[in-house]
Amino acid sequence: MPSPANIFKSIYATCLLIFSIVSVMGLIATRQSTLSSNVNPATAFIVIWVAIIWLSMVEGGQGSLVGLQPIQFDLYKDSHPITYSSTKVAFNGDNLDRYLLGRQFMV
């Protein structure tokens, strides 16, 4: 059972997230951002959501790769073949360091 403090933090964080999304989308809709003042606000909506989704996938990939690095390949070779083939490439040589460095430049 979650503690009352954790419930409060979750509700508070959710409210802040909703407020932030509504504020940013409102600013885009009223052309009060650099991108939406230069192009159609619908284009700005699409660009921001594509960027957010892309960055969340990259961050999730980083967490997964860093978390799987100390795990033996044999533990997930048969149960998760796609993960096995991805990590086999990522952990070959200095590919993981290159990925992390490239991710830093993108963010």
Side-chain angles (χ1 to χ4, degrees):
M1 175 104 185
S3 70
N6 283 340
I7 292 171
F8 173 75
K9 287 192 291 187
S10 296
I11 292 171
Y12 186 67
T14 302
C15 290
L16 287 176
L17 177 65
I18 291 169
F19 173 75
S20 298
I21 291 172
V22 169
S23 297
V24 170
M25 295 300 118
L27 290 171
I28 290 174
T30 57
R31 295 182 180 261
Q32 294 182 28
S33 70
T34 305
L35 182 61
S36 66
S37 66
N38 295 330
V39 297
N40 188 343
T43 305
F45 283 127
I46 292 169
V47 167
I48 194 167
W49 283 108
V50 166
I52 289 171
I53 291 168
W54 176 259
L55 285 171
S56 64
M57 288 190 305
V58 170
E59 290 293 324
Q62 173 198 349
S64 298
L65 289 173
V66 170
L68 282 173
Q69 192 172 17
I71 308 297
Q72 294 294 324
F73 286 132
D74 297 335
L75 293 176
Y76 56 89
K77 182 178 181 178
D78 296 326
S79 61
H80 298 84
I82 296 173
T83 303
Y84 173 73
S85 61
S86 298
T87 54
K88 189 175 171 185
V89 171
F91 300 152
N92 186 17
D94 63 346
N95 286 346
L96 183 60
D97 292 333
R98 289 179 179 183
Y99 173 78
L100 295 175
L101 184 64
R103 182 201 116 346
Q104 288 295 334
F105 282 116
M106 189 175 73
V107 175

